[in-house]
Amino acid sequence: MTEAAKRGGSREGVGRKPKSKTGELMKTRAMRWTDEGWADVLLIGMDRVRELVAKEAAKVRKQQGSE
């Protein structure tokens, strides 16, 4: 095998990145949760958590726009 054909070792940040339904790249972000809170997230699922956050954010934006 030639030197150019070899793959490098696994490093942080390499590989396929997850994308949203719209094709936008998604990044992993740190959030602090209690064990109980994280269990709730796992119970309802991350997709549902994203939906709930987006819904609440839209409400807050609407309220801020009317002020």
Side-chain angles (χ1 to χ4, degrees), residues 40-41 43-55:
D40 292 344
V41 170
L43 182 66
I44 66 172
M46 193 54 76
D47 290 338
R48 181 69 178 130
V49 171
R50 285 188 200 100
E51 287 176 24
L52 292 170
V53 169
K55 185 176 177 182

Side-chain angles (χ1 to χ4, degrees), residues 28-45:
T28 302
R29 291 180 165 73
M31 291 181 65
R32 292 187 185 270
W33 292 89
T34 61
D35 288 343
E36 183 181 357
W38 185 244
D40 292 344
V41 170
L42 295 176
L43 182 66
I44 66 172

Side-chain angles (χ1 to χ4, degrees), residues 19-34:
K19 291 186 178 182
S20 68
K21 292 177 184 175
T22 62
E24 181 181 357
L25 285 176
M26 296 168 61
K27 297 178 184 174
T28 302
R29 291 180 165 73
M31 291 181 65
R32 292 187 185 270
W33 292 89
T34 61

